[in-house]
Amino acid sequence: MGAVIGLTAVLGGCGVTGGDDVTLRLVAADYGDSAANSTQKYWDDLVAAYEADHPDVNIEVSVYSWNDVDRKVKEMVDAGHAPDMAQIGAYADYAAAGQLYPASEVLSIPTQADFASQFVEAGEVRGEQYGIPFAASTRLLFYNKTLFRKAGITPPTTWSELAADAAALKAEGVKYPYALPLGPEEAQAETMQWLLSGGGGYTDTVNSYAIDSAQNIDTFTWLKNELVGKDLTGPVAPGKLNRAAAFAAFADGDVGMLNGHPSLMKMAAKKGVKFGMVPMPGVNGPSRSVMGVADWMTAFRQNGHREEVGAFLDFVYNDENVLAFSREYDLLPVTTSASAVMSSSPQDRDLAPFLEQLPVSELYPVGKTSWAAVSADIKRRIGSAVQPGGSPSGVLRQLQTAATAAQAAE
């Protein structure tokens, strides 16, 4: 970390000529759930520390909710006023349009080399990394220990055990034996977790869409017949159940099992729910691959502040700052050095099970400019694949047809 900070000081000095101050503008997403832990406070503290050592650089940070931040950045770029940096959910469109610096042009070699490999790959467009990973999470199967004890069952490791557990929970009157949120809020996440556990996924080995693969059709046929068709997913149709509602129901003690990310731990603990977490079951044992999610930092070319942006980002990604952010918001570090600290730290033991999943995690195909449209299509249609009379193969083929056309237009 000391080497990175030392390099930061050198770079910070060489980016300013003639004694003129440089102002960098950063737009970032808010990870807080209240004014008390708004991400604005994190950035204000970090910026104050940086500016104290770099008096010729001013950094202005605007924080927006996740509902607004991507749109705000797009509006700024479309109006010809791109920020210097944006910490958002997607980057591929800007990269494809030539509006971003590649990571190699802004980050020091130690900083760039410290990112976990799957994040580097997910950040690439046509073989060049433009998406700089900022924060990550993985998913685990959460289960209600109290409800499991009453039903006399143990956490599942296979699909058949999951279905048997769900049936036992239903017999005990549990409202949602397995909560399956395939509603429009975040259906692409639940879908991907299940596809991976069935040996499939959204793309094939050459990164082309493979939504209607045989494995994926088998997965959704199983879900339709063995969970939804046997009334093991609760009173709300999966296509109408959103993730936020499923999480709230778990925190209320009404859900036996569901896929969750780290923020669910606080929600459930706050309501007094005793819960456990295990890897997502697969067909014959724990899933060999799990879904990971990353959010992205981008560096825009328009204002030409390459050196100053790089120096500031080197500071953003030192271990101290990465760990502070991860701990504040129950997220996983995207750097191997901070992950190593977290994995051996007693204060981070709650996040340890999620951290263990990181090496086998797969991310959305965010390097594709078509992904935004494909993801929106999945959110809109996938719930109908498991409804009564629905056709898993038919719905997945419709999604594949649209995805192939979108990819061809990239």
Side-chain angles (χ1 to χ4, degrees):
M1 184 169 70
V4 174
I5 292 174
L7 182 60
T8 295
V10 174
L11 285 173
C14 72
V16 183
T17 57
D20 295 331
D21 285 2
V22 169
T23 297
L24 301 179
R25 292 176 177 83
L26 165 65
V27 176
D30 194 352
Y31 291 80
D33 55 13
S34 67
N37 71 342
S38 167
T39 309
Q40 186 75 52
K41 293 185 176 182
Y42 170 82
W43 285 113
D44 288 348
D45 290 345
L46 186 145
V47 164
Y50 186 78
E51 288 179 343
D53 288 334
H54 300 79
D56 295 331
V57 180
N58 305 304
I59 299 166
E60 297 176 358
V61 183
S62 302
V63 172
Y64 296 98
S65 78
W66 273 110
N67 293 331
D68 300 323
V69 68
D70 287 279
R71 176 176 54 80
K72 288 282 188 183
V73 172
K74 185 176 188 308
E75 288 170 357
M76 293 170 73
V77 173
D78 289 349
H81 302 296
D84 295 283
M85 295 161 284
Q87 187 270 297
I88 46 180
Y91 64 85
D93 284 349
Y94 301 124
Q99 294 167 321
L100 301 180
Y101 286 115
S104 60
E105 288 188 21
V106 288
L107 299 176
S108 68
I109 291 170
T111 299
Q112 197 179 0
D114 200 20
F115 294 121
S117 60
Q118 71 264 49
F119 298 128
V120 173
E121 290 168 17
E124 291 179 345
V125 173
R126 300 187 187 98
E128 180 86 64
Q129 184 189 355
Y130 291 92
I132 303 170
F134 181 72
S137 70
T138 54
R139 304 291 167 106
L140 290 168
L141 184 75
F142 282 66
Y143 66 97
N144 183 309
K145 286 185 172 180
T146 304
L147 298 178
F148 265 58
R149 191 171 60 251
K150 282 182 184 169
I153 54 177
T154 55
T157 60
T158 65
W159 284 4
S160 59
E161 288 174 6
L162 186 148
D165 283 351
L169 290 162
K170 183 189 176 187
E172 287 291 320
V174 174
K175 192 172 180 181
Y176 293 89
Y178 178 86
L180 183 66
L182 295 177
E185 180 196 1
E186 207 189 29
Q188 84 285 2
E190 183 74 11
T191 297
M192 183 170 173
Q193 184 65 77
W194 276 100
L195 297 184
L196 291 172
S197 73
Y202 285 134
T203 56
D204 58 21
T205 53
V206 295
N207 204 31
S208 294
Y209 289 111
I211 299 171
D212 64 345
S213 69
Q215 297 101 312
N216 292 347
I217 290 172
D218 286 348
T219 294
F220 264 79
T221 300
W222 186 90
L223 281 173
K224 179 178 184 291
N225 294 341
E226 301 302 321
L227 286 188
V228 183
K230 293 184 177 176
D231 196 24
L232 300 177
T233 53
V236 179
K240 291 187 170 21
L241 182 65
N242 281 327
R243 179 193 57 79
F247 277 21
F250 186 83
D252 286 339
D254 290 333
V255 174
M257 300 173 275
L258 84 171
N259 281 317
H261 52 63
S263 69
L264 183 55
M265 294 190 296
K266 265 186 191 161
M267 284 181 66
K270 201 180 286 186
K271 292 278 195 87
V273 171
K274 292 183 172 58
F275 62 89
M277 302 174 297
V278 294
M280 176 68 181
V283 180
N284 300 310
S287 179
R288 283 185 300 224
S289 186
V290 301
M291 192 188 76
V293 176
D295 301 322
W296 303 95
M297 181 69 76
T298 55
F300 283 87
R301 289 181 177 275
Q302 182 181 331
N303 304 314
H305 296 142
R306 181 176 68 84
E307 292 91 347
E308 295 88 351
V309 165
F312 176 64
L313 290 180
D314 280 341
F315 180 72
V316 167
Y317 284 101
N318 76 39
D319 281 358
E320 183 181 347
N321 292 328
V322 170
L323 287 166
F325 185 86
S326 301
R327 287 164 173 162
E328 176 66 30
Y329 299 107
D330 284 331
L331 291 162
L332 304 180
V334 293
T335 61
T336 53
S337 58
S339 293
V341 173
M342 185 174 273
S343 64
S344 60
S345 169
Q347 79 178 91
D348 299 312
R349 63 177 173 270
D350 285 351
L351 288 171
F354 296 95
L355 204 55
E356 287 166 12
Q357 297 287 291
L358 211 49
V360 294
S361 66
E362 287 191 30
L363 283 74
Y364 298 130
V366 287
K368 294 176 173 294
T369 56
S370 57
W371 171 243
V374 172
S375 175
D377 204 20
I378 292 165
K379 292 178 184 180
R380 189 168 57 249
R381 298 183 198 238
I382 197 65
S384 64
V386 296
Q387 70 187 21
S391 168
S393 60
V395 170
L396 292 176
R397 283 180 186 132
Q398 287 174 346
L399 289 167
Q400 176 65 28
T401 299
T404 300
Q407 181 170 283
E410 286 185 344

